Amino acid sequence: MEYVIREAKREDMPAVLELIKELAAYEKAADQVEIRVSDLEHEGFDEGNFKCFVAEVDGKIEGMALVYFRFSTWKGRTVHLEDLIVRESMRGTGLGGALYKRVVKYGHENSVRRVEWVVSEGNKNAQEFYENTGADIKKNWYTVHMDETGIQKNID
């Protein structure tokens, strides 16, 4: 299979949103996706808040990886991988690994000291893949989220 990994363009955002929705459906959380194509276009291309890489097979976007810079008080600037998504029909083809390597290369190109991401507890295949590439899964750290209700509660 031949594929191309490249930086996403504004016109790729409808396909990127399709992938986001596919992942949400897989995670049984389809109703939680609130972002729109216009949000992705604005935040990624007008504001520069993220970089997105896409994987094309025969001219069709079959995968994506969305990253952005964060700052660590211990390491300095880091790259955070928000999502790496490959269409279900393309899983196991090496597309995910190619996107993953592109993200790591992007971190290297930008001289970061760490590339970081979150993997779900139940995704044992991904955990094994990441560990085999030299990643260290921090099992004693928890991801914390606060939604709009919590935000509102804390500003009153």
Side-chain angles (χ1 to χ4, degrees), residues 56-83:
E56 277 186 336
V57 178
D58 297 326
K60 182 180 180 200
I61 295 175
E62 300 285 2
M64 66 77 113
L66 191 142
V67 301
Y68 53 88
F69 291 110
R70 291 176 62 178
F71 188 83
S72 163
T73 56
W74 293 4
K75 298 293 183 183
R77 192 162 78 148
T78 67
V79 167
H80 180 80
L81 170 59
E82 179 64 23
D83 272 320

Side-chain angles (χ1 to χ4, degrees), residues 18-78:
E18 280 179 30
L19 287 162
I20 292 167
K21 288 179 177 180
E22 185 175 315
L23 174 64
Y26 176 80
E27 295 288 342
K28 297 179 179 37
D31 61 326
Q32 294 182 34
V33 176
E34 296 177 14
I35 199 159
R36 302 175 311 243
V37 170
S38 60
D39 297 323
L40 292 168
E41 291 171 344
H42 176 71
E43 295 295 336
F45 298 92
D46 299 334
E47 298 294 327
N49 287 328
F50 65 81
K51 173 82 66 181
C52 186
F53 299 99
V54 294
E56 277 186 336
V57 178
D58 297 326
K60 182 180 180 200
I61 295 175
E62 300 285 2
M64 66 77 113
L66 191 142
V67 301
Y68 53 88
F69 291 110
R70 291 176 62 178
F71 188 83
S72 163
T73 56
W74 293 4
K75 298 293 183 183
R77 192 162 78 148
T78 67

